[in-house]
Amino acid sequence: MIKITPRINSAIGATLDRLYVRKCARGNYKNMDQRFYDCLVKESGPSTNNLKKMVSGWKKAYFANLKRNMMIYNLRNQFRKK
C-alpha cells in the first residue's frame, strides 16, 4: 500500500536539500556546516544551471529522502502494532 505522507515529506525535503546546495554553492556557509553541505552534494550532486541536471539532482535527493522516511515510517509502525 502506498502511503502519501512519506512521499510528500520526501518531496519537501528534496526541494530543501537542493535549495541548500544551490545557496551554499555561492559561498553562503554562515548558517550551515561544511560537512552537511558535502553530504548533500555527495548524495544529490553539485549545483548546476542545466535543467536536466537540476531535475536529476532533485530526483536523487527525493529518493534518498524517501528511503529515510520509509525507514522511519516502518520503524514507527512496528511499535504501533500489538
Side-chain angles (χ1 to χ4, degrees), residues 7-73:
R7 296 183 189 281
I8 291 173
N9 290 339
S10 298
I12 292 168
T15 304
L16 288 175
D17 287 353
R18 294 309 297 168
L19 179 71
Y20 291 147
V21 168
R22 188 125 169 114
K23 184 184 276 188
C24 290
R26 298 181 201 146
N28 299 336
Y29 291 107
K30 296 175 188 172
N31 297 330
M32 198 161 125
D33 188 19
Q34 177 67 31
R35 290 178 293 160
F36 179 61
Y37 171 72
D38 291 338
C39 288
L40 287 178
V41 169
K42 188 173 81 174
E43 184 177 276
S44 64
S47 177
T48 182
N49 288 331
N50 186 348
L51 182 62
K52 187 175 179 181
K53 289 181 182 179
M54 280 184 197
V55 172
S56 174
W58 185 88
K59 189 175 176 183
K60 288 177 187 177
Y62 170 76
F63 285 120
N65 282 316
L66 181 63
K67 182 179 176 182
R68 183 173 57 246
N69 285 335
M70 290 305 290
M71 179 190 65
I72 292 169
Y73 184 78

